[in-house]
Amino acid sequence: MDSDVLSSDVSKLSRGIGNIREVVRLNQAVGLVESSQKFCESMNSFMKMAEEEIIRIQALESVALSLVKEITEYFHGNSAKEEAHPFRIFMVVRDFLTNLDRVCKEVGMINERTIVSTAHKFPVPVNPTLPTGFPASNERHQYSSSDDESSSP
């Protein structure tokens, strides 16, 4: 979710709470009918809970923005320049990682080509003194640790 949209929505909710408060005040001023009192009590309870939640969300937003500013300062060096676009640092990091991934793939392809072309030019001789097959499974157990022996069936 976009941080500006979230901030705008929280502000709208806060203004909505103010509107509810005004309706409750007018309702209390008009009459003290039993249903009106129940409505006012319910709405006052809701407003208290909603105001606490909005304050909590605003505090979390403030913490998130300060952490983004800290990250920008760490990686960019001057967070004041990026004040208008605090989350731009994540686009910069994304672009960097995309370029890094592309370069790693290119280097990998170059290495593969080098290995394949080198293998064709200089064939690797086979050592005739080395055994051609795999050792029997019981020979493998001679050299394994005691943990390996206890875990094998």
Side-chain angles (χ1 to χ4, degrees):
M1 176 177 246
D2 186 69
S3 69
D4 293 334
V5 172
L6 179 61
S7 183
S8 173
D9 288 348
V10 171
S11 294
K12 288 177 186 175
L13 288 171
S14 186
R15 285 191 302 273
I17 295 291
N19 293 341
I20 293 172
R21 182 177 288 109
E22 184 63 24
V23 168
V24 169
R25 188 187 63 73
L26 290 172
N27 197 10
Q28 287 175 334
V30 170
L32 294 175
V33 181
E34 184 178 329
S35 63
S36 176
Q37 286 179 330
K38 287 181 181 180
F39 172 77
C40 291
E41 288 172 5
S42 295
M43 292 311 294
N44 283 329
S45 172
F46 166 76
M47 283 188 305
K48 182 180 183 207
M49 180 201 62
E51 286 172 338
E52 289 172 357
E53 190 67 18
I54 287 173
I55 289 170
R56 187 180 74 77
I57 290 170
Q58 288 171 332
L60 290 172
E61 177 187 20
S62 177
V63 167
L65 287 174
S66 70
L67 290 172
V68 167
K69 188 175 182 177
E70 193 175 310
I71 288 171
T72 302
E73 189 70 34
Y74 181 80
F75 286 107
H76 191 268
N78 188 358
S79 62
K81 281 175 137 180
E82 301 295 328
E83 197 73 34
H85 307 286
F87 293 99
R88 185 169 172 259
I89 187 70
F90 296 112
M91 290 187 304
V92 171
V93 170
R94 181 202 60 205
D95 293 346
F96 170 76
L97 292 175
T98 301
N99 288 331
L100 179 64
D101 187 47
R102 181 181 49 81
V103 168
C104 287
K105 287 178 182 176
E106 288 174 6
V107 168
M109 288 190 305
I110 290 169
N111 284 342
E112 283 179 16
R113 285 186 212 136
T114 304
I115 290 171
V116 169
S117 67
T118 304
H120 289 301
K121 290 179 185 175
F122 306 106
V124 179
V126 178
N127 188 346
T129 60
L130 291 177
T132 56
F134 291 109
S137 63
N138 60 358
E139 291 175 11
R140 181 174 46 101
H141 287 292
Q142 303 176 17
Y143 302 108
S144 64
S145 67
S146 60
D147 290 339
D148 289 341
E149 290 177 1
S150 64
S151 65
S152 60

